[in-house]
Amino acid sequence: MLGVIDLPTYLAGLVLIVLLPGPNSLYVLSVAARKGVRTGYTAAAGVWCGDTVLMTLSAAGVASLLQANAVLFGIVKYAGAGYLTWLAVGMLRAAWSMWRTRHERAEESEVAAAPATEERPYRRALVISLFNPKAILFFVAFFVQFVDPGYAYPALSFVVLGAFAQFASFLYLTALIFSGTKLAAAFRRRKRLSAGATSAAGALFLGFAVKLTLAST
């Protein structure tokens, strides 16, 4: 179909890949839990745009260039790890602030949290997606296996595969967004729970940063 080989196998692998936790899905869940459905979808839009850019670069051969050039790969890798570390530090600082003010009234907490509206979730999610060299290498290694080399329009094959990937991502992130909003009420009532969840998210982001620094071509 349109130059795509063994579509059922691709879809099965895609489901497993989408369900694996990563910084993108974790950030969308965090935003939805803190700010609601609309802002959660704003962050998700950043993820989808970032993934689209990565798929386009992969189809254009940029991922192969990164794989062949150790210096360039290292630059992208450490830039991504540094950004994830910066996000983790911000989450841990926010968690510490919530822990220190856990006995304050909810109204005071909402006032203190007002500056967080400057977070710009779309842009942050977009950058998180783009600074993911392993994703670039994955896209080129995974997609190419399902494109017929004899097909006259390989770009169309990549579009079909990418459309399926984005649809799966849409379903998964939608589920996370609505799950996150259900957690929001509990977080508002229980400052300790909110601080603990934010600390856990920060620790996971640090883990993603370490994993990136250990990645190799």
Side-chain angles (χ1 to χ4, degrees):
M1 182 185 74
L2 300 177
V4 176
I5 302 172
D6 199 1
L7 182 60
T9 300
Y10 169 76
L11 294 177
L14 179 63
V15 169
L16 294 176
I17 291 160
V18 168
L19 292 178
L20 288 175
N24 294 347
S25 56
L26 178 63
Y27 180 68
V28 171
L29 177 62
S30 172
V31 168
R34 289 182 285 113
K35 300 186 178 182
V37 171
R38 183 173 181 177
T39 310
Y41 272 112
T42 299
V47 172
W48 296 324
C49 289
D51 286 348
T52 299
V53 171
L54 292 181
M55 293 176 196
T56 303
L57 293 176
S58 297
V62 175
S64 298
L65 176 63
L66 284 176
Q67 192 172 19
N69 191 319
V71 174
L72 183 59
F73 178 82
I75 292 173
V76 176
K77 178 177 69 173
Y78 288 113
Y83 187 73
L84 290 178
T85 301
W86 178 73
L87 290 178
V89 171
M91 289 181 176
L92 293 174
R93 290 180 61 188
W96 175 245
S97 177
M98 283 186 279
W99 179 259
R100 291 179 60 188
T101 60
R102 63 188 183 280
H103 297 302
E104 294 180 2
R105 294 196 306 268
E107 293 82 358
E108 295 173 348
S109 301
E110 291 172 359
V111 172
T117 56
E118 299 299 322
E119 183 178 345
R120 297 180 181 178
Y122 172 83
R123 186 175 68 177
R124 181 165 293 186
L126 176 65
V127 175
I128 290 174
S129 297
L130 291 177
F131 279 102
N132 195 341
K134 293 198 72 176
I136 298 174
L137 299 179
F138 163 77
F139 278 129
V140 73
F142 190 64
F143 278 19
V144 170
Q145 298 179 42
F146 300 94
V147 175
D148 183 358
Y151 187 63
Y153 307 101
L156 183 58
S157 304
F158 279 100
V159 170
V160 172
L161 295 174
F164 278 114
Q166 292 289 48
F167 180 68
S169 177
F170 171 79
L171 294 179
Y172 179 56
L173 292 183
T174 294
L176 291 181
I177 288 169
F178 283 95
S179 297
T181 54
K182 291 183 178 179
L183 294 174
F187 287 164
R188 283 193 293 266
R189 290 193 305 267
R190 303 179 181 179
K191 296 293 292 277
R192 291 183 180 181
L193 177 62
S194 181
T198 305
S199 298
L204 283 174
F205 267 78
L206 280 178
F208 291 133
V210 171
K211 187 176 180 180
L212 256 186
T213 60
L214 298 177
S216 62
T217 57

